[in-house]
């Protein structure tokens, strides 16, 4: 795993020690001796993670972390505070400042490397989502920064084998989330898969069950793969912590649990989940926009070009028929010239609605371009496709288009060309060309008719 780590400490010996450990694991390491230099480096250089000392001259680590998280350009960089401070109040203050974790000096090598690798993996996922969303210009950096720390309450699933700790933890978390409590780990797995949780807290206090098995299963299921997992474990149980981080848990807390630290860590994970959910939704919307015609809501030419080949290949492999109908609104230019493009757009939308109402669920309707549309009909011979096209033609002609901005309803007609798949060596280009020529023939013969291409 390659990543660029920034080590920030005003003691050169501490910097050299961390740098040597990270270089041995093939990380790219940058160093800074004070907070101002660290902030400048994060602004000007791609950084994947910051290992940040707290006690420094000038501005301390708490302020550096707050500034990093307040800046939209650097808010997504994970921060691990490496410090001699070991009081719960210090950890809570750091977590509230935006730190992702704390490591206490002298740093345990196993925990250091496991934590660094875990946070780098999480950042890589977030960066990929962020990049896709920004590329599509569906969100901006300022909007993203606001979404990083939403205020809405979360939904937490607490998996705990003991009633006494269940009650205590539920009471602690109640101000920030709705908490569901389950004692049976296998039941918890099904509960997590069936419901929308922002965080799963696994208390490693089971007498006859390995809690890491549940963590592994949560990471394996598609429905639960992206839910943050916070593990509660004993002081000194380094082996479990390292294995848990390798399995993909996102955070851990040591017993005895400090209530303020538990709340702070839980809030951090809930906010990160909300942010990544927003990014994934943005990416999904981007994909949909890329293959959808914005005016009519039908699939666009790009989607048709890609999907039609798949349908042709499948039809050819199975020896099944496939037909397409290419249709064009008659004299559409006159509509635009007479009533304006706003009315023309309304006609296109209504035309698309009538196509939707006519075709079957298995058919693929697309806007081919301008006033041309294509309907792909799998498992349909040309004569049956012609019957469907004739029904569509009749629906368009017999029901005038009621357009709000036009004077009265408009009588619209359409011409249609049908072509069927030839099983021997046919291509999408040839199929579309035959349908286009049939459409051209329908236009030449007087419009408002269906013409099938010669077999």
């Amino acid at each position: 795993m390659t990543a660029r780590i920034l080590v920030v400490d005003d003691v050169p010996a501490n910097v050299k020690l961390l740098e040597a450990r990270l270089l041995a694991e093939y990380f790219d390491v940058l160093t800074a001796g004070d907070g101002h230099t660290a902030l400048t480096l994060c602004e000007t250089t791609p950084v994947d993670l910051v290992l940040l000392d707290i006690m420094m001259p000038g501005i301390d680590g708490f302020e550096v972390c707050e500034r990093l998280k307040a800046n939209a350009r650097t808010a997504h960089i994970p921060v691990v505070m490496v410090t001699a401070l070991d009081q719960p109040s210090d950890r809570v203050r750091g977590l509230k400042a935006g730190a992702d974790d704390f490591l206490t000096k002298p740093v345990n090598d196993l925990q250091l490397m496991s934590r660094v690798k875990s946070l780098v993996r999480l950042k890589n996922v977030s960066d990929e989502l962020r990049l896709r969303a920004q590329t599509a210009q569906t969100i901006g950096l300022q909007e993203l920064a606001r979404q990083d720390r939403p205020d809405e309450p979360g939904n937490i699933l607490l998996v705990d084998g003991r009633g006494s700790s269940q009650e205590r933890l539920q009471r602690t978390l109640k101000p920030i989330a709705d908490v569901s409590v389950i004692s049976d780990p296998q039941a918890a797995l099904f509960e997590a898969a069936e419901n929308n949780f922002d965080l799963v807290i696994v208390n490693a206090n089971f007498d006859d069950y390995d809690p890491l098995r549940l963590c592994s299963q949560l990471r394996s299921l598609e429905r639960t793969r992206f839910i943050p997992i916070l593990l509660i474990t004993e002081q000194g149980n380094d082996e479990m912590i390292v294995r848990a981080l390798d399995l993909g848990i996102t955070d851990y807390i040591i017993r005895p649990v400090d209530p303020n630290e538990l709340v702070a860590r839980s809030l951090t994970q809930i906010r990160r989940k909300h942010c990544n959910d927003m990014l994934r939704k943005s990416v999904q919307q981007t994909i949909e926009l890329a293959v959808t015609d914005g005016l009519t809501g039908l699939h666009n030419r790009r989607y048709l070009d890609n999907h039609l080949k798949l349908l042709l290949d499948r039809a050819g492999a199975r020896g099944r028929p496939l037909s397409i109908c290419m249709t064009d609104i008659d004299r559409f230019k006159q509509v635009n010239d007479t009533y304006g493009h706003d009315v023309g757009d309304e006609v296109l939308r209504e035309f698309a609605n009538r196509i939707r109402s006519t075709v079957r669920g298995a058919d693929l309707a697309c806007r081919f371009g301008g006033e041309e549309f294509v309907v792909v009909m799998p498992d349909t011979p040309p004569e049956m496709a012609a019957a469907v096209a004739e029904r569509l033609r009749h629906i368009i002609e017999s029901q005038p288009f009621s357009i709000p901005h036009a004077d009265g309803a408009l009588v619209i007609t359409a011409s249609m060309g049908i072509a069927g798949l030839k099983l021997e060596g046919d291509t999408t280009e040839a199929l579309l060309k035959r349908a286009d020529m049939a459409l051209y023939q329908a236009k030449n013969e007087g419009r408002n008719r269906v013409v099938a291409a010669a077999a």
Side-chain angles (χ1 to χ4, degrees), residues 52-249:
L52 178 64
D53 185 34
I54 291 181
M55 306 303 293
M56 294 186 296
I59 56 174
D60 63 17
F62 295 123
E63 186 173 347
V64 171
C65 188
E66 287 173 349
R67 292 192 187 185
L68 286 173
K69 297 301 179 178
N71 185 342
R73 294 173 59 86
T74 58
H76 60 286
I77 303 174
V79 176
V80 178
M81 290 189 165
V82 184
T83 176
L85 302 176
D86 59 357
Q87 294 300 309
S89 58
D90 296 318
R91 290 199 298 272
V92 171
R93 183 182 173 190
L95 291 167
K96 288 183 176 179
D100 294 87
D101 203 358
F102 264 76
L103 293 175
T104 304
K105 298 177 181 177
V107 177
N108 177 296
D109 278 359
L110 278 176
Q111 284 198 24
L112 170 67
M113 291 309 162
S114 297
R115 203 68 184 111
V116 166
K117 291 176 181 177
S118 174
L119 287 170
V120 167
R121 280 195 299 268
L122 288 172
K123 181 176 181 293
N124 287 341
V125 172
S126 180
D127 282 353
E128 180 65 22
L129 293 170
R130 191 181 302 269
L131 179 62
R132 294 180 186 179
Q134 289 172 352
T135 300
Q137 296 182 341
T138 56
I139 56 175
L141 282 171
Q142 293 301 321
E143 182 181 356
L144 183 61
R146 290 195 298 271
Q147 290 290 340
D148 272 342
R149 288 175 286 278
D151 295 323
E152 61 267 24
N155 292 305
I156 295 177
L157 176 62
L158 172 62
V159 188
D160 191 316
R162 298 176 184 171
S164 57
S165 55
Q166 286 177 5
E167 183 180 349
R168 185 171 61 254
L169 294 174
Q170 187 175 25
R171 187 169 57 250
T172 298
L173 295 166
K174 187 176 181 180
I176 65 165
D178 294 326
V179 184
S180 301
V181 183
I182 291 185
S183 301
D184 181 356
Q186 288 307 117
L189 180 64
F190 289 110
E191 183 74 8
E194 292 297 323
N195 295 281
N196 186 28
F197 289 105
D198 300 304
L199 174 65
V200 176
I201 299 177
V202 180
N203 198 347
N205 60 1
F206 298 94
D207 296 325
D208 54 356
Y209 181 82
D210 182 358
L212 297 188
R213 183 173 300 279
L214 174 59
C215 297
S216 175
Q217 290 173 328
L218 288 168
R219 282 292 169 261
S220 299
L221 289 180
E222 183 68 28
R223 293 287 302 274
T224 60
R225 184 168 297 166
F226 300 115
I227 303 177
I229 303 172
L230 190 154
L231 180 71
I232 302 176
T233 187
E234 295 287 351
Q235 178 74 37
N237 199 349
D238 293 346
E239 183 180 354
M240 174 177 281
I241 292 171
V242 170
R243 289 184 63 196
L245 290 169
D246 285 342
L247 285 172
I249 72 158

Side-chain angles (χ1 to χ4, degrees), residues 5-10 15 30-47 50-52 56-61 63-65 67-68 71 74 77:
I5 313 297
L6 173 60
V7 178
V8 188
D9 199 311
D10 63 317
V15 173
L30 300 175
T31 63
D34 61 81
H36 290 293
T37 304
L39 291 170
T40 300
L41 280 171
C42 289
E43 274 272 7
T44 58
T45 307
V47 173
V50 178
L51 295 177
L52 178 64
M56 294 186 296
I59 56 174
D60 63 17
E63 186 173 347
V64 171
C65 188
R67 292 192 187 185
L68 286 173
N71 185 342
T74 58
I77 303 174

Side-chain angles (χ1 to χ4, degrees), residues 32 99 203 225-226 268 313 321 413 427 442:
N203 198 347
R225 184 168 297 166
F226 300 115
T268 296
D313 290 344
T413 64
T427 64

